[in-house]
Amino acid sequence: MQNFFSNESGATAIEYGLIAALIAVAVIGAVTALGDNTSTTFDRVAQQMA
């Protein structure tokens, strides 16, 4: 029983999972923001060409 409570491999896996989730959220937010800006830029260029 003492070995079970001293084993921290599960906690490490959870920490890595949380870090990966935070990185994924940051990447999704950046891509969304850049996607909106890129779309706006292309729309402006298309309007100027027309």
Side-chain angles (χ1 to χ4, degrees), residues 1-18:
M1 195 69 150
Q2 193 174 27
N3 187 24
F4 177 75
F5 287 114
S6 66
N7 186 355
E8 295 183 3
S9 63
T12 303
I14 291 171
E15 290 169 357
Y16 284 135
L18 289 173

